[in-house]
Amino acid sequence: MGNIKVPYLDLKAQYQSIKPEIDAAIARVLESCQFVLGPEVAGFEQEFARYCGAAECIALNSGTSALHLALLAAGVGAGDEVITVPFTFVASVAAVIYTGARPVLVDIDPQSFTMDPAAIEAVITPRTKAILPVHLYGQTADMDPIMAVARRRGLVVIEDAAQAHGAKYKGRPAGSIGDMACFSFYPGKNLGAYGEGGAVTTSNAEYARTIRMLRDWGQDLKYHHVLRGYNYRMEGFQGAILRVKLRHLEAWTEARRTIVSHYNELLVDSGVETPTEMPWARHVYHVYTLRIEDRDGLHAALQAEGIQTGIHYPVPAHLQPAYADLGYGKGAFPRAEAAAEQVLSLPLYPELSSQAVTEVAGEVKKAVAHRTQTAVSR
Ligand SMILES: Cc1ncc(COP(=O)(O)O)c(C=O)c1O
């Protein structure tokens, strides 16, 4: 792309808005030299647990590590099966494979883009250990029916809440609904570190204890390794930065929601399908995703106007070459496959100006009208 008029994301704008607080937090870590775990990480754990309505938070070095350790704490291993979705960032599926278990996929609900609870029961086998719904784009999956089937069949539920900080399901925060929940603090996330970061939240003390050990080489006492663990610890800098940013998260989420209302108003009757906030949800709009048949045409038209967009995600997990051996072919999950061909994410970040939103929506409408006209006159 030549000139970028509206970037997809602008992390510099956010840093500028909180620079003194961030700089002071970084200085505190430098002064204390507590670079790995330490008091800032412990403080963040307490504050984020409270924010999520969970008893415990275990801070880690990525969202992928969070999924990996939550699955291990649930006892998932070789020979087991975990039910998840193909329409997600690939980490949801990859983490299951890390444990030696097999990801068993079910299609999504086309309106929410999240796990279709009605599809779960049919794929449960005696080897099924857990269900891993993904709160895609910042909206929770329909958790009540998922929890009901899990309780009936004795399965552990792990929320993939990597995109859903502050999201709610019927008033309950993401991170407090399943047995465990996994968050990512990758820089572009709604709550983003200045590097890699992740966490598990849970109200189960035993899971929390196991994950704390696993993140730090499986030690219960220094150099006493009771579990085969990992080096998945959060860095002190990230803990200190996340504490600052957590204080702003609600205001940022409200800013996102205001921008989304504006986009929705401007795009009404424009020929694109705007996202649906499901009746159960407080959607936190990690991404604002349109749906349109000629997605690639709209993508190219916006790119030509200097508007950066994203595609989340162009290829569902079951059609990725790396996961071909799961044995699902094209046509296995038609709703996920259709979504992958039709979704396009518009620029969205809390600092995005109302003028930029108007400009982006205007270009979307222009491009769609132009393509419709061209199609009709052909
Ligand atoms: C749905 C989902 N799951 C898992 C992850 C993995 O998180 P991380 O990139 O922090 O490892 C991400 C982040 O990109 C994600 O979007």
Side-chain angles (χ1 to χ4, degrees):
M1 194 188 303
N3 250 351
I4 299 176
K5 266 197 291 186
V6 185
Y8 179 71
L9 206 72
D10 187 352
L11 294 179
K12 282 187 189 164
Q14 191 181 73
Y15 173 53
Q16 286 309 323
S17 76
I18 53 172
K19 187 172 176 348
E21 289 173 85
I22 291 286
D23 292 357
I26 289 174
R28 270 201 313 275
V29 177
L30 285 172
E31 290 300 331
S32 74
C33 288
Q34 301 269 336
F35 296 121
V36 178
L37 297 176
E40 293 287 345
V41 171
F44 172 66
E45 287 181 330
Q46 280 188 4
E47 289 153 16
F48 194 64
R50 196 178 320 130
Y51 180 75
C52 294
E56 302 236 26
C57 165
I58 307 96
L60 304 167
N61 63 347
S62 75
T64 307
S65 302
L67 289 166
H68 186 193
L69 295 193
L71 287 159
L72 291 179
V76 172
D80 294 331
E81 293 175 357
V82 176
I83 299 170
T84 189
V85 284
F87 194 56
T88 180
F89 180 64
V90 75
S92 321
V93 171
V96 175
I97 294 174
Y98 288 2
T99 67
R102 179 185 148 74
V104 171
L105 306 180
V106 293
D107 213 345
I108 53 165
D109 163 76
Q111 213 178 11
S112 67
F113 298 106
T114 57
M115 179 179 275
D116 175 4
I120 297 172
E121 195 98 44
V123 299
I124 294 176
T125 74
R127 291 182 295 279
T128 309
K129 269 269 170 62
I131 308 177
L132 184 75
V134 180
H135 301 332
L136 201 71
Y137 301 154
Q139 173 158 257
T140 65
D142 188 4
M143 292 302 291
D144 277 351
I146 294 173
M147 295 306 295
V149 72
R151 291 296 168 256
R152 204 161 57 238
R153 305 296 292 264
L155 307 174
V156 177
V157 175
I158 299 170
E159 301 169 60
D160 184 338
Q163 305 186 0
H165 323 72
K168 289 194 174 143
Y169 178 76
K170 300 184 182 174
R172 283 178 288 154
S176 70
I177 308 160
D179 298 290
M180 287 176 269
C182 303
F183 290 87
S184 165
F185 307 119
Y186 188 75
K189 294 290 196 273
N190 289 23
L191 179 61
Y194 288 167
E196 304 278 357
V200 176
T201 57
T202 182
S203 293
N204 179 311
E206 195 49 42
Y207 290 148
R209 196 179 108 78
T210 304
I211 293 169
R212 271 184 210 290
M213 283 200 281
L214 287 174
R215 80 170 164 185
D216 192 16
W217 291 113
Q219 306 177 92
D220 59 352
L221 294 168
K222 199 167 173 69
Y223 304 134
H224 291 258
H225 304 270
V226 294
L227 297 173
R228 289 190 186 175
Y230 302 83
N231 175 358
Y232 282 175
R233 300 169 301 228
M234 179 177 273
E235 294 187 346
F237 284 123
Q238 307 311 337
I241 288 160
L242 287 166
R243 290 183 88 179
V244 170
K245 290 182 126 199
L246 182 57
R247 295 201 288 269
H248 296 275
L249 182 58
E250 278 300 300
W252 288 335
T253 300
E254 285 309 314
R256 284 176 184 274
R257 290 177 55 83
T258 303
I259 291 166
V260 165
S261 304
H262 194 188
Y263 265 141
N264 285 348
E265 273 166 37
L266 293 168
L267 291 173
V268 103
D269 297 330
S270 65
V272 297
E273 203 179 303
T274 54
T276 309
E277 183 171 40
M278 301 304 285
W280 64 71
R282 181 206 193 201
H283 198 320
V284 295
Y285 295 102
H286 173 54
V287 293
Y288 179 82
T289 299
L290 300 178
R291 204 170 167 148
I292 178 167
E293 224 158 273
D294 183 15
R295 186 268 314 282
D296 294 338
L298 180 59
H299 179 67
L302 292 176
Q303 188 162 336
E305 294 302 325
I307 294 166
Q308 264 186 339
T309 55
I311 298 176
H312 305 99
Y313 296 90
V315 183
H318 68 290
L319 300 180
Q320 297 283 358
Y323 301 101
D325 65 348
L326 291 179
Y328 300 107
K330 200 161 170 55
F333 305 107
R335 290 183 237 141
E337 290 168 31
E341 285 174 7
Q342 295 175 354
V343 291
L344 187 69
S345 312
L346 297 187
L348 176 58
Y349 47 91
E351 301 77 15
L352 186 67
S353 71
S354 147
Q355 190 192 339
V357 171
T358 308
E359 189 176 339
V360 172
E363 292 299 343
V364 169
K365 278 165 51 175
K366 214 160 77 188
V368 174
H370 175 73
R371 302 191 76 77
T372 314
Q373 244 173 22
T374 320
V376 169
S377 59
R378 236 190 253 137

